């Protein structure tokens, strides 16, 4: 959150950002699906009166980040964008506004440079962003845990690993690492880096041998093994 005298801009839920006055009125609610909503006081920034300790709220030379949201300057525009790619609003220097949902003028394409005010502490990703690609734990309600490799540009999922040791090849639009709105989309996850390894909630990608990289669920099933000779292998739990 950030407070400007009697106004507060706050991420009140993982998919909602609200602009609220201290009198309780909510002038704007931005949703991660790119839509914009009006005065719903249930999602006001003062519902929790305490502003709290600074966490994942910071200013750079080109954007203000508040949790999973950015207000970013792109040419003569100021855009309000969620990290999953939807721009909910564009303000132009001619005084006009252009609401979403849309995918252009994405503030998350701006370089994350020096922090001028605030802190990055407390920021976390639910997916691993690699250029246009994302690796994410998906589908919170599914009977199987899934780890997906997806592209943002065309909304395509190239491969989905399942916790039974199998995988689903693409192309597909299901279980996409950048899908926040669908029931099969990205799930909340903590990401931890370790010794030649990264863990995404209940999944671990690790170099287990000088020649081997494995994708493993915490239940022990290995959905993929990559070898340095360019071959790919299935569920070997050794």
């Amino acid at each position: 959150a950030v407070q400007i005298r009697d106004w507060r801009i706050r991420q009140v839920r993982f998919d909602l950002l609200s602009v609220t006055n201290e009198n309780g009125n909510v002038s704007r609610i931005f949703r991660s699906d790119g839509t914009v909503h009006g005065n719903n006081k249930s999602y006001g920034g003062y519902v929790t009166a305490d502003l709290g300790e600074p966490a994942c709220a910071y200013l750079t030379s080109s954007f203000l980040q508040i949790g999973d949201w950015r207000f970013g300057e792109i040419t003569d525009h100021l855009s309000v964008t969620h990290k999953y790619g939807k721009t909910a609003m564009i303000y132009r220097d001619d005084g006009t506004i252009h609401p979403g949902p849309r995918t252009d003028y994405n503030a998350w394409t701006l370089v994350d440079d020096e922090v001028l005010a605030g802190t990055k502490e407390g920021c976390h990703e639910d997916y691993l962003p690699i250029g246009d690609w994302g690796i994410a734990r998906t589908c919170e309600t599914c009977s199987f845990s899934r780890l997906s490799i997806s592209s943002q540009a065309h909304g395509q999922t190239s491969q989905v690993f399942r916790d039974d040791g199998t995988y689903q090849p693409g192309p597909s639009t299901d279980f996409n690492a950048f899908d926040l709105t669908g029931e099969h989309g990205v799930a909340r996850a903590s990401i931890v880096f370790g010794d030649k390894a990264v863990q995404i909630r209940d999944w671990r990608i690790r170099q287990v041998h000088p020649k081997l990289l494995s994708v493993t669920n915490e239940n022990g099933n290995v959905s993929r093994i990559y070898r340095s000779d360019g071959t790919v292998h299935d569920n070997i739990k050794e």
Side-chain angles (χ1 to χ4, degrees):
V2 62
Q3 187 155 332
I4 306 170
R5 194 165 168 178
D6 54 334
W7 288 90
R8 187 175 290 179
I9 305 173
R10 184 174 225 161
Q11 180 173 325
V12 293
R13 205 173 71 182
F14 75 93
D15 57 343
L16 298 178
L17 183 77
S18 69
V19 180
T20 312
N21 188 266
E22 66 180 3
N23 65 15
N25 284 316
V26 184
S27 292
R28 235 0 161 214
I29 297 172
F30 302 105
R31 277 185 44 164
S32 61
D33 61 2
T35 58
V36 181
H37 303 267
N39 194 2
N40 185 335
K41 296 182 181 180
S42 298
Y43 299 115
Y46 286 89
V47 170
T48 302
D50 185 12
L51 188 63
E53 291 297 317
C56 199
Y58 65 95
L59 180 69
T60 75
S61 61
S62 58
F63 66 81
L64 168 68
Q65 182 166 330
I66 301 173
D68 299 329
W69 291 86
R70 282 184 181 177
F71 290 78
E73 181 186 33
I74 303 176
T75 62
D76 55 353
H77 303 71
L78 182 73
S79 65
V80 184
T81 311
H82 190 269
K83 73 175 182 180
Y84 292 130
K86 293 292 187 180
T87 298
M89 181 66 74
I90 294 173
Y91 301 97
R92 280 181 40 163
D93 65 1
D94 61 3
T96 59
I97 64 172
H98 304 269
R102 54 197 300 164
T103 56
D104 55 348
Y105 296 100
N106 187 327
W108 288 83
T109 63
L110 298 170
V111 175
D112 194 354
D113 55 11
E114 179 185 358
V115 175
L116 303 178
T119 180
K120 289 185 180 181
E121 291 186 12
C123 294
H124 62 87
E125 299 285 0
D126 296 320
Y127 72 99
L128 284 175
I130 306 171
D132 176 58
W133 293 84
I135 302 176
R137 208 284 199 176
T138 56
C139 196
E140 192 69 65
T141 60
C142 290
S143 57
F144 293 98
S145 174
R146 289 170 163 86
L147 186 73
S148 300
I149 299 177
S150 311
S151 169
Q152 183 176 22
H154 302 291
Q156 292 291 321
T157 301
S158 294
Q159 191 160 68
V160 179
F161 304 110
R162 294 186 6 160
D163 67 4
D164 61 357
T166 63
Y167 66 91
Q168 301 166 235
S172 168
T173 56
D174 288 337
F175 311 112
N176 192 278
F178 297 95
D179 175 19
L180 185 68
T181 60
E183 62 177 6
H184 293 163
V186 66
R188 301 298 287 181
S190 59
I191 296 176
V192 180
F193 291 89
D195 181 15
K196 300 184 182 68
V198 61
Q199 184 153 331
I200 306 170
R201 195 160 152 182
D202 55 331
W203 288 90
R204 187 172 291 178
I205 304 172
R206 182 169 225 160
Q207 181 176 330
V208 294
H209 181 277
K211 297 181 179 180
L212 300 177
L213 182 76
S214 69
V215 180
T216 311
N217 188 266
E218 67 180 4
N219 66 13
N221 283 319
V222 183
S223 291
R224 225 36 170 171
I225 298 172
Y226 302 99
R227 279 184 44 162
S228 61
D229 61 4
T231 59
V232 182
H233 303 268
D234 294 329
N235 195 359
I236 302 174
K237 299 182 181 180
E238 297 175 359

